[in-house]
Amino acid sequence: EAKHSVSQMGQRIASDGLPPGMPPVIFGMTGGPRGNVYQGVREIFDLLPHEIVQVSDLPQVIAEASSTQSEHKVYGVVPEMKDIYVRSDGQSSAFDRQHFMEHPDMYQSQFASHVLPYLTAFINAIFWDYQYPRLITKEDMRELYEAGNNRLLLISDVSCDIGGSVEFLSRSTTIDRPCFQYDPILEKEVSDVVKDEGVTVFGVDILPTELPVEASNHFGTQLLRIMPDLVESASVSKEDPLMVQIDPSKLAPSLSKAVITTHDGKLANDFRYLRPILEHSSQTQNGEGESISILLHGHLFDTGLLNQCLDVLELNRCSFEFLDCTVQYRGKGQDPIKSRVVLKVTASGEDVDLDKVEGQIGALVDAILPAEATLSRLDKSGLPTRPAYVQGDNDKTVLLLGSGRVSRSVVDLLGRSKNRKIIVASNDEAEAKDVASLALRGRHAGMDIANDRPRLQKLVQDSDIVISLLPATMHPKVAELCIESKTDLVTASYESDEMRQLDAAAKNAGIIMLNEVGLDPGLDHMSAKKMIDEIRDRGGHVTSFSSVCGGLPAPEAADNPFQYKFSWSPRGVISACQNDARYLWEGHIVQVTGNELLANAAPFVESWPDLQLECLPNRDSLKYEKTYGFENIDTLFRGTLRYRGFSRMMHVFQTMGFFDSTTPIDSVNSWDDLLDLLNNSRGGFSSIEDFMLACAEDDYEEAMRARACLEWLGMIGDNKVPFPTEARSVVDVFCQLLEDQLCYGETERDMVCMHHTIGAEFSDGTIEKHFSSLQVFGTEATMSAMCKTVGVPAGIAADLILKGELDGKTGLL
């Protein structure tokens, strides 16, 4: 009925026109073009005769108001984020959505000056948070009215954020009284009915619960379509004539997937994951475990802190009860008043560590700075049993070694707290200074990390924790300094033999050396272990395990012959391409030597088929048999993803000798000298083409592809690039060239892909396949996907150590 009425209105506007003196009528709508709420708004708006215009067209639409054509239609404008927000510092670069989401405090709204003056009605359908600039303030509306512009008649705030995007939405309205009248000059509500003066404001916060009759009719129609299948599959139970049994095999797929339990009350296969949840619920109801009472005091609601604390409790299988909740009224012009919440937190079993849970909530209190919150545990009389958890009580110094791309996310995460001093040490002083500027208390140290041991030792001694993002070969030297200084160490690299040899010394020093807390290794292990544990919790046995991961250019950025660009050290990539590999495949152990690794790539077809990926074996997969507790498993494989063709071409370059780190190059001063050196060391072929053909194992097409790559890199041909004479080895030369030529542009994205496939068998003979995929895209050159997925886990690990979450553990972890 509502849509019919709007449609009739549209027909009248098209035929009779708008009331005299009213055109042009312009509707502003936010949340487009993909927002769900916006789609609903457009469904209604599109019933009117209309024209969608751009923000830049608005002045012209007003200027041409006398046009008779505008009298028979309305206009719509859908300002996007780039139209609404601009940098506060005046930078005129293109709007970067990700930068805005991460640093909203660096932006201001221009909605009131560029959009609002032209609107007749504004429908707000975007989420708002306290961090973001408001779209319309009371001052904006007052200034507009004082200037004689009273075009705006109506605001409908669908998101209904009180005092949020629209500052003068001071309260939510009801279905019975859906609006109030706001006077911009007086800056207050003057009526709860529509009047001629001022702006009519709608802010009904329970609209989703108002199901229209159309929704009920639609649901009923869909239900009738499947009722015949449901009836045909039903039969009366022989044991109980009052019970009707359903045979899922006779149901359509859409219905069979909805069957939760079988006729005997057991969970269907697709819903077995509910078993531990139901068991936990039963245990909680049958008996109450250990409990504590905690007090939270601060800006708990508008910052979202309280909701996140409750999420932590649920994830840790804790029940909770509100013992007290005090929220005071804030009068006009008053500063926000802190709220007070007392929670009784109850553990579901003996395995739940309430001290750990309290520590996780404390970490949230520290991380969400605008909440200005404290956390206390209360005794039975309601008094604090320990000092309140107050941000800034204990200063900690974090030394970050390396200032590459990954470092930015570490500093962005750890540097948000005022009680953290972040020191970024790097060979590139300008880069270190830029990264350090992301922290509230950041400073930098430009230095030769590899050779200036005294200065590095002093920095380590003065720090509470060291995070090393240096090449893995440098970690042991850093670890030795950490042991001497009794300073904890975190890296995102694989655990090496050299690091294992320092385990006893680290334990004697009482420090933690935590490795493998990045992406791969790191997130891959954590997500895989979660899946494995869930299978075992249901009584299952893992029969096969495959995990692959790779950092790649996003498809649109894979625009060079390698289809690859570097978001981390080229030397690290080259090193990874030469590791021996071992894995178990369908009951057979497969071993691959490092010099043949690149030749063993195979197409990856389990996910993202459009990307045309390949997979390389990744190191020794069999060692994870013990780590994951596998028994009688027939497949255990870990791999690295690349675009197809990368590995074969890099194998040609490896065979040519570009990975060589030992041959002296003192007399090499040009690319021709280098190619002659490599050619002569491998037999001395008559031409570079013959040399490359031999290294490609007589595959002419592959040899020509490799030659085209060298020409694209600027090593041969008419457009050679300068030779890096400061390099000390062949692989150094090659890596420098790759770093220079295969770098990301400022607007290019990288991509991380990770996929697990786990086979499982259960005692009743059921066989299952479990899949998990992660695909992350970078958003800008300074916050790549690799930066997020490596740096954030490493930063979280360091944060846990600093907060004492790993107290009692020492040595190599």
Side-chain angles (χ1 to χ4, degrees), residues 413-425:
L413 177 69
L414 295 178
R416 299 173 187 174
S417 174
K418 295 178 181 177
N419 64 347
R420 298 273 173 78
K421 180 167 68 174
I422 313 294
I423 302 173
V424 181

Side-chain angles (χ1 to χ4, degrees), residues 59-121:
Q60 184 177 354
V61 172
I62 296 296
E64 297 174 355
S66 60
S67 168
T68 56
Q69 185 179 6
S70 68
E71 296 176 1
H72 294 268
K73 64 181 177 182
V74 298
Y75 294 86
V77 63
V78 187
E80 298 183 31
M81 294 180 73
K82 62 183 177 62
D83 300 313
I84 298 174
Y85 301 108
V86 293
R87 290 280 291 263
S88 302
D89 56 10
Q91 287 193 18
S92 58
S93 56
F95 180 82
D96 187 319
R97 179 187 176 92
Q98 185 62 28
H99 187 270
F100 169 78
M101 299 300 290
E102 294 172 350
H103 306 284
D105 56 311
M106 297 177 63
Y107 289 78
Q108 62 187 22
S109 170
Q110 59 177 7
F111 184 87
S113 57
H114 286 61
V115 182
L116 187 63
Y118 306 99
L119 300 184
T120 311

Side-chain angles (χ1 to χ4, degrees), residues 679-694:
N679 185 11
N680 293 332
S681 65
R682 281 156 180 77
F685 295 86
S686 59
S687 68
I688 183 66
E689 287 77 15
D690 289 343
F691 174 37
M692 299 186 75
L693 185 61

